[in-house]
Amino acid sequence: MTGIDREIANKLISLGRRHGRDFLGLPSEPLFGMLGQGRFVTLMRNQEEAVQLLRKIGREVAQELRLASDQIFIKYSTNGRNLNDSPLYDYTTAIPRVVQTLKRSNDSSRREYCVHHRRITYSRFSARGGAERPLGLSVFQEAACEDVTFSASERHRIPEYYLEKKKCYESLGEEVELWESEDPTFQHNDLFSDQGGLSVGPGHCFLYGDEDYAALYVVKGQEKMINTIKTVGSAAEDFYHMFEAGQVVEETVVSRLSEYFHNYFRNAAAGIDPQLISLKALSTAATLYQNFSNASVDVRVLRMRLHTAAWMKALASHSQLRDHGSAIEAFLSSNESPFATFLYESSSTPECLLPYELSSAAAFACMTMFESGHLDVDPQQLLDVMAMSSGDSIYVSAELLTDPWQQTRPRDIRRVVGNIGHPGITFLVSPKNPMIEKFSMDEWLSVDRNDFNGQFQDSFQCTSLHLSFTGAETPLNVGFSGCQDAEAFILETLVRVYDRGRWIADLNVPMSMASPKLRRIKQCKGLHGDSPFPTTSRMMCLDSWHALIEQPEDNLCLVRAHKNWQARLAAACLSSAMEYETAVLPANTCWQCFKDQVPAHMRHVMIIG
């Protein structure tokens, strides 16, 4: 992203930071819990940099709790393993130890100096051998101090890697001791032995960091004070400085973020956490808006609280989560969604983030919020809505724009660029009892009824669908907004069928498509081969609207409007409105499948072909 697109993106991010605090709400744990108890130390380039960060934090903790150097220390992984294949850990002081020298000051007291102490645990059987350089030490010193020497016995029994490691730390002014993990005198219950050894004893417990990578330990009884000393804000500040100093590995950040992301949402209380409810609402809205190319939303929606939205409450109360696999497939239908791409690259999507399967009313209520920026409409007021007009967009239920054989979901909505010329947001609804033209007896000559010969054709090429308004409208109840004019209306709208310029009927498409008398004949899977229409069966062809409306007496009637979706939609709606059993055929019809799916005892079956 470069140029003007990047500039706009940065401005939107800035806008969200300033005004969007209530939009998603605050998380219970920042960064999906990755900042909690210092777990972010695993993102650092190596353990030595993690040790330096933990020493900084250790100084703050020790000063606040007035701890001595033997009451707080650091344990960190070396990536090595001993003979039993268990991991090896090194130990070091969190704050310098005070050491007395033999020299005396003017007042005859012994002089003191502060020094860090480190114990390096090694194994003669470690797979590391001596081939690798000390992990992370090159950050502090490339060359070992020349005046540090080792005895012949040390060089014989200690791998070269650990000797180099000891030299590097001693060159930094630390006291270093080497301990062999297989040594029977290796005792884990000594914190500071007489020789200065360090280890985790029964009187100490984890305080801060990551126990498998690098962590602070403190005497028992003090660990509960860490939350008052290292707040989320101070941890976030440490995390920020790590990024600024380039001390994190980008690949590690991505993998760890994904790990914490899934753990956080799997263990979260999705039904009560405001942010999780808001994220689920945003996931649902993003899935809906993926179908609208070049659509825009009102930025004032940032001031809304998604978790309290009426449409979201309705979904949480009455909707069921979609099937996990189909939800991911639908959510990833657009490759242009960064959030969808992130979920796809992750191992799985937490259920609490899967979008809801929207009802038609909830979908229009959701779009109303994002289109207006401030209107929170109860979906119960939008149960009969088939389209919505707002700004330069008309959002139409997909069932008004597709062939009746295609099964659409309630949330399938199409965007058409344009406006109906009505201010504000207008919801279009059909009349409850649409009218159908009554043909007179004088038009008997136009009634064509012939036996079906097995050939499909389109006898309704001059049929078209049109929208018109009855003029009946009512303001929508959106609560008190302080505006003198209504911001949302319900407008009665007619979907009219015309043939050669003549009005035929008005349709209530949503009600007709939901009729229990409407069935869609499933596409044949090739099990029956070429299945022609049986010559022993009789079926009447209806090639005019007059023939359909005049209520034919034949048991099987076929409306021949092959591959004409507008005429097929009109015929299916009229047949349902007239309470016929209606069967919609696919483009490639298998008559054996038709026979299997339409019971023989059914009477007055209107077939839409």
Side-chain angles (χ1 to χ4, degrees):
M1 183 183 295
T2 57
I4 188 65
D5 291 336
R6 186 179 184 87
E7 182 181 349
I8 293 175
N10 289 333
K11 289 182 178 180
L12 286 173
I13 292 173
S14 178
L15 178 69
R17 287 176 175 173
R18 292 195 308 270
H19 301 286
R21 293 182 179 272
D22 294 333
F23 186 63
L24 294 179
L26 294 177
S28 56
E29 294 184 78
L31 274 181
F32 311 120
M34 195 160 58
L35 296 182
Q37 289 190 295
R39 288 186 286 266
F40 59 88
V41 298
T42 57
L43 304 177
M44 304 191 76
R45 290 181 299 182
N46 52 65
Q47 285 92 335
E48 190 55 41
E49 290 185 343
V51 166
Q52 300 306 314
L53 175 65
L54 291 175
R55 280 179 172 174
K56 170 183 172 294
I57 297 171
R59 288 194 298 270
E60 299 173 4
V61 174
Q63 183 178 2
E64 188 71 24
L65 301 181
R66 298 182 180 180
L67 299 177
S69 60
D70 60 345
Q71 294 178 309
I72 182 170
F73 62 93
I74 299 170
K75 170 188 169 184
Y76 61 97
S77 170
T78 65
N79 295 335
R81 310 189 78 83
N82 62 14
L83 184 61
N84 298 325
D85 200 37
S86 58
L88 295 177
Y89 294 95
D90 288 352
Y91 302 84
T92 185
T93 49
I95 56 177
R97 299 174 62 192
V98 178
V99 180
Q100 291 184 340
T101 67
L102 296 177
K103 295 182 179 181
R104 296 182 179 273
S105 59
N106 295 332
D107 59 357
S108 300
S109 61
R110 287 189 177 185
R111 293 185 179 180
E112 298 177 345
Y113 68 95
C114 297
V115 63
H116 276 291
H117 185 87
R118 191 182 297 254
R119 189 178 80 181
I120 298 176
T121 307
Y122 72 92
S123 171
R124 285 177 290 169
F125 305 97
S126 174
R128 291 182 62 90
E132 300 183 42
R133 291 190 57 80
L135 186 62
L137 294 180
S138 58
V139 178
F140 304 98
Q141 183 161 329
E142 289 292 338
C145 183
E146 296 295 336
D147 60 355
V148 179
T149 59
F150 300 96
S151 64
S153 60
E154 284 181 322
R155 292 188 179 277
H156 174 70
R157 65 182 178 85
I158 302 176
E160 185 68 22
Y161 166 76
Y162 297 101
L163 296 177
E164 290 292 329
K165 193 174 182 179
K166 182 174 186 292
K167 288 171 64 176
C168 287
Y169 286 126
E170 287 179 341
S171 68
L172 296 173
E174 296 189 12
E175 293 180 351
V176 184
E177 60 175 332
L178 295 173
W179 281 60
E180 183 180 351
S181 62
E182 289 81 13
D183 191 334
T185 62
F186 186 88
Q187 299 294 328
H188 281 281
N189 58 352
D190 291 332
L191 176 61
F192 278 86
S193 65
D194 294 338
Q195 292 79 18
L198 284 167
S199 185
V200 180
H204 300 82
C205 59
F206 167 78
L207 179 68
Y208 198 78
D210 185 272
E211 292 189 83
D212 296 326
Y213 190 78
L216 276 171
Y217 289 82
V218 70
V219 290
K220 285 188 176 179
Q222 302 288 349
E223 69 277 5
K224 296 181 180 180
M225 299 297 295
I226 187 64
N227 292 331
T228 62
I229 301 171
K230 291 301 295 181
T231 61
V232 173
S234 61
E237 186 176 351
D238 292 334
F239 191 59
Y240 172 78
H241 290 312
M242 285 169 50
F243 268 100
E244 288 294 304
Q247 295 178 331
V248 297
V249 181
E250 294 180 2
E251 294 79 5
T252 306
V253 172
V254 174
S255 63
R256 293 289 183 182
L257 188 61
S258 176
E259 177 185 340
Y260 281 107
F261 172 84
H262 289 289
N263 291 337
Y264 176 81
F265 287 113
R266 285 193 186 100
N267 301 326
I272 59 176
D273 189 326
Q275 192 191 45
L276 288 184
I277 297 174
S278 298
L279 288 173
K280 189 174 183 66
L282 189 61
S283 170
T284 304
T287 305
L288 178 62
Y289 267 86
Q290 281 178 8
N291 299 323
F292 311 142
S293 59
N294 300 321
S296 59
V297 299
D298 195 318
V299 295
R300 292 179 296 175
V301 75
L302 290 173
R303 297 175 180 173
M304 303 288 289
R305 296 184 178 182
L306 279 183
H307 71 277
T308 62
W311 60 271
M312 192 60 189
K313 289 181 178 179
L315 290 173
S317 301
H318 305 293
S319 297
Q320 296 289 334
L321 277 174
R322 294 186 298 182
D323 173 73
H324 187 79
S326 62
I328 296 178
E329 182 181 354
F331 194 54
L332 298 176
S333 58
S334 170
N335 293 327
E336 298 180 358
S337 170
F339 188 51
T341 304
F342 173 71
L343 292 182
Y344 175 75
E345 293 174 350
S346 305
S347 58
S348 61
T349 305
E351 285 193 2
C352 60
L353 286 187
L354 288 178
Y356 276 119
E357 181 63 50
L358 284 167
S359 64
S360 178
F364 282 116
C366 173
M367 289 188 296
T368 301
M369 171 177 282
F370 283 89
E371 289 289 316
S372 67
H374 66 283
L375 295 180
D376 187 13
V377 178
D378 188 347
Q380 289 295 318
Q381 300 185 72
L382 308 178
L383 294 178
D384 299 324
V385 171
M386 61 180 176
M388 180 182 90
S389 174
S390 174
D392 62 350
S393 302
I394 302 176
Y395 297 98
V396 186
S397 292
E399 57 191 2
L400 271 74
L401 302 174
T402 57
D403 188 275
W405 181 80
Q406 296 180 356
Q407 183 71 54
T408 61
R409 291 174 294 184
R411 69 173 181 85
D412 288 339
I413 296 174
R414 309 285 173 81
R415 175 177 179 259
V416 179
V417 178
N419 191 279
I420 64 171
H422 203 284
I425 296 178
T426 307
F427 299 99
L428 310 184
V429 298
S430 294
K432 292 295 183 181
N433 299 303
M435 296 186 297
I436 302 175
E437 184 181 28
K438 294 182 179 180
F439 289 90
S440 66
M441 295 178 61
D442 297 337
E443 299 179 84
W444 58 270
L445 191 61
S446 65
V447 178
D448 297 324
R449 292 177 180 172
N450 303 307
D451 288 340
F452 180 53
N453 58 4
Q455 299 297 319
F456 288 99
Q457 67 183 45
D458 181 14
S459 302
F460 299 87
Q461 297 182 14
C462 297
T463 295
S464 58
L465 301 179
H466 302 263
L467 282 180
S468 64
F469 309 114
T470 65
E473 65 176 51
T474 181
L476 190 70
N477 181 18
V478 295
F480 179 75
S481 62
C483 298
Q484 293 183 353
D485 299 325
E487 299 180 79
F489 293 87
I490 293 179
L491 181 63
E492 189 176 60
T493 306
L494 301 175
V495 179
R496 318 203 83 178
V497 183
Y498 282 86
D499 187 72
R500 294 180 176 87
R502 178 180 179 178
W503 172 76
I504 303 298
D506 297 333
L507 307 178
N508 188 328
V509 178
M511 186 171 65
S512 298
M513 291 295 101
S515 172
K517 290 183 174 291
L518 178 73
R519 65 180 64 202
R520 297 170 175 86
I521 304 303
K522 296 180 181 178
Q523 184 76 49
C524 181
K525 297 182 180 179
L527 301 177
H528 305 126
D530 186 9
S531 177
F533 181 73
T535 57
T536 57
S537 300
R538 184 174 184 274
M539 183 182 297
M540 185 65 66
C541 291
L542 306 181
D543 294 326
S544 67
W545 294 112
H546 193 172
L548 171 61
I549 295 174
E550 278 295 289
Q551 299 182 357
E553 298 178 355
D554 298 86
N555 190 40
L556 293 178
C557 296
L558 174 65
V559 180
R560 294 197 291 184
H562 192 56
K563 295 185 178 181
N564 183 343
W565 74 267
Q566 293 192 47
R568 281 163 57 89
L569 178 63
C573 291
L574 278 176
S575 176
S576 297
M578 299 170 69
E579 298 187 352
Y580 286 124
E581 294 289 345
T582 307
V584 184
L585 300 179
N588 299 315
T589 302
C590 172
W591 290 109
Q592 183 60 45
C593 290
F594 172 81
K595 181 180 178 182
D596 295 340
Q597 297 177 48
V598 178
H601 62 79
M602 292 183 64
R603 294 292 182 265
H604 301 295
V605 179
M606 196 67 65
I607 304 168
I608 313 300

